Amino acid sequence: MSFYSPIYFLFLMGLVPIILMYLLKKKHREFQVSSNFLWEKAIRDIEANKPWQKLRKNLLLLLQIILFILLVLALTNPYLLSDEKELENLIIVLDTSASMQSIEGGSSRFNKAKAQIKNIVDDIPNETYITLINMENTPKVEISNSNNKYMIKDKLKNIIVTNKSDSIGDTLSLIKSFAKEYDNYRVLFYTDKKINIDNDNFIIKNLNNNGMNTAIEKISHSRSDEGIVLLTTISNYSDKKVNGDLSIHNNNEVIDIKEITLEAKESKDIYWDNLPNNINVIRGELDINDSLDIDNNRYHIINNKSVNKVLLTTKGNIFLEKGFSINNDIELYKTDEVMEDVDGYDLYVYDGMLPKELPDDGNIVIFSPNNTSFIEDGIYDGSDGIRIVSDDLFSYLDMNFSIEKTKILKKQNWGQPLITLNNKPILIKGENGNQKYIIVGFDLHNTDFPLKMEFPIFIHNILDYSLNMDSLKTFSVLSGESLKIDMSPKVTEAYITNPKGNREKIAPPFPIIPFSNTNEIGIYKLEGLANNETITNYFVSNVDTEGESINMKQYNQNFEIGENKEDDITTKRELRNIFIWIILILLLIEWGVYNRGY
């Protein structure tokens, strides 16, 4: 046994006054007698007054001496060593991903992990510095290199389990950055994932007891002449056969229920035919009692796309007319004259001419602008020195084309140059407030680009960016993922209501920053206020079943740093609380002894 504060042993000198008080205390009573028969007894009383005789068979004195010694021992804070090696730094990782919600043995894996960590913090020596890492979809350092146990336990108490995926790779990289600074450290990793680590400093505390789990893997749809066809994929990750019901809902209305049976480790596709064309928000529910409930529900949006109105202003540019007209998801309106004070279109395309004031209710695409606010003086001939930045605007394109001449664009603080000529911009893309802009310095007639097979794809990419036409990704995210939100330029305010009914303002300012508060599983309502109109859309957040549900069967996830080390953390068992409890018990005994007159 060792002691944190041995200096308190000096308090043992306090035993001296306690013993002196008992020595000086008289313990006989005087009586007047008529006979010397009692002289012999009086002599014995005199002997009893001798100092050391007073200490004989004095139970109260003995109890008080023991109490005082125990009190001094408690002040010295004794502990027992469980290992000879002293630990200087301890990194604790707590997995807070969705699978940690699994209930096994009456408690969740997450709560079991928190209880074990709290015990470790209580028992660890005061000289050990702790770093606590919260591992969700992005690792978060809750407290760094601290030996303040109160603060560490307070941070631990406030950590909550999420519906998100884990980030094992990023967390290991973060641990490595900490470990480089430490000579003597251990990593205590609480998770339900199978992690292989070849490092003696790592201790993996795997909380997975292979509980039963089933999940809805995905929901998708297609359209037919008879209606909507819905595909639902369900999986059984456990080793036992399961039975239950699978239902689908449109908003809160039950559409259909099917009884299903899944063999061990089986996945099955369930089809639903001839569903009404007007359904839009689908929820699948799997009614099976298992360890993890969160993946028994899945949500899906059936997007009823609206047609976007595009105004093309050009003097007979057949390349642009053909490029835009082949897209069936837009209504194309053409004019060969500049229209002032025009509105009501989702996209305005100008080719070689511009109005005095650009519209503010739609996105803008400009080819070969004639306005000095966008171009510098002079025209460059030739295409030597062209540099192209990788961007979604050039997806699936071979940008190897020639430019005979082009205008040089002025740099815009809201835009990024994607094509430059001798380091001067000739194509700019960006968001100016709540409007998206694409400005192209060259006239298409002065390039061979329209003659290439990729040109229609380029026009499609322009429409995808400016009208968000390939918007499937906008309607579904995995819990915790960020969502890029595109709204009509005529929207002045935007709000999102989460599945729990909490409404959050996301704009202004514009452009809208990616929305990342998607932890809640379910349907999110997106509202855009435009004049007296409210534009409403929906998107859903689902559990990453591939990353979380499948982990119920403990698959191996290999990393370059190796395999598990089954070990225990080195700790010192503090004995102070034990001594305090003994002191309280002895106080009760002393009180009983005193009342009985000993």
Side-chain angles (χ1 to χ4, degrees), residues 417-436:
L418 299 184
I419 302 180
T420 59
L421 177 61
N422 297 325
N423 295 322
K424 294 181 179 290
I426 60 174
L427 190 152
I428 294 175
K429 165 187 163 184
E431 296 185 40
N432 185 10
N434 61 344
Q435 286 182 288
K436 293 182 178 180

Side-chain angles (χ1 to χ4, degrees), residues 262-290:
L262 288 172
E263 300 294 334
K265 310 296 185 185
E266 182 187 13
S267 292
K268 185 178 292 186
D269 292 334
I270 308 295
Y271 287 91
W272 318 76
D273 299 320
N274 304 328
L275 299 179
N277 282 309
N278 61 350
I279 62 175
N280 61 339
V281 180
I282 295 295
R283 176 172 66 90
E285 182 179 359
L286 190 57
D287 187 10
I288 292 179
N289 186 23
D290 60 5

Side-chain angles (χ1 to χ4, degrees), residues 82-291:
S82 62
D83 201 311
E84 294 181 357
K85 183 179 179 180
E86 295 286 338
L87 183 62
E88 295 176 0
N89 300 98
L90 176 62
I91 301 172
I92 302 177
V93 180
L94 175 57
D95 187 350
T96 59
S97 61
S99 60
M100 292 290 284
Q101 299 180 40
S102 301
I103 304 296
E104 294 170 353
S107 179
S108 70
R109 297 172 180 172
F110 178 74
N111 288 336
K112 290 177 182 177
K114 286 183 72 172
Q116 292 181 31
I117 293 173
K118 180 180 179 299
N119 291 336
I120 288 291
V121 174
D122 284 334
D123 293 343
I124 209 75
N126 291 337
E127 293 82 3
T128 300
Y129 287 83
I130 294 177
T131 296
L132 180 61
I133 298 176
N134 176 352
M135 187 181 75
E136 50 179 46
N137 62 338
T138 301
K140 178 184 177 184
V141 179
E142 297 288 347
I143 193 165
S144 176
N145 205 31
S146 173
N147 65 346
N148 187 325
K149 294 186 177 183
Y150 175 81
M151 288 182 59
I152 295 168
K153 288 190 287 187
D154 185 61
K155 288 289 186 181
L156 177 66
K157 179 182 177 181
N158 292 325
I159 296 177
I160 60 174
V161 67
T162 71
N163 299 322
K164 304 174 185 178
S165 303
D166 59 61
S167 54
I168 295 175
D170 291 341
T171 302
L172 290 174
S173 297
L174 180 62
I175 291 171
K176 287 179 182 178
S177 66
F178 278 107
K180 288 178 181 178
E181 306 297 325
Y182 302 147
D183 294 327
N184 180 7
Y185 75 94
R186 284 284 184 91
V187 178
L188 196 55
F189 214 118
Y190 282 88
T191 182
D192 58 357
K193 312 301 189 299
K194 183 72 173 180
I195 306 175
N196 294 327
I197 299 179
D198 184 16
N199 188 316
D200 289 344
N201 291 313
F202 275 76
I203 301 171
I204 308 299
K205 297 291 187 179
N206 195 301
L207 300 158
N208 193 332
N209 291 324
N210 295 318
M212 189 182 75
N213 185 46
T214 54
I216 302 178
E217 285 284 349
K218 65 180 179 181
I219 300 177
S220 59
H221 77 278
S222 62
R223 294 182 183 273
S224 66
D225 295 336
E226 290 77 20
I228 292 175
V229 178
L230 199 68
L231 167 64
T232 305
T233 302
I234 56 177
S235 297
N236 176 17
Y237 303 120
S238 59
D239 297 322
K240 296 180 180 180
K241 178 180 177 180
V242 296
N243 297 285
D245 293 328
L246 175 65
S247 58
I248 56 170
H249 309 248
N250 179 36
N251 293 315
N252 293 321
E253 180 183 351
V254 178
I255 299 176
D256 197 5
I257 301 175
K258 292 184 178 181
E259 186 175 346
I260 55 99
T261 299
L262 288 172
E263 300 294 334
K265 310 296 185 185
E266 182 187 13
S267 292
K268 185 178 292 186
D269 292 334
I270 308 295
Y271 287 91
W272 318 76
D273 299 320
N274 304 328
L275 299 179
N277 282 309
N278 61 350
I279 62 175
N280 61 339
V281 180
I282 295 295
R283 176 172 66 90
E285 182 179 359
L286 190 57
D287 187 10
I288 292 179
N289 186 23
D290 60 5
S291 299

Side-chain angles (χ1 to χ4, degrees), residues 286-298:
L286 190 57
D287 187 10
I288 292 179
N289 186 23
D290 60 5
S291 299
L292 184 62
D293 290 334
I294 194 70
D295 57 2
N296 290 350
N297 287 272
R298 197 164 190 88

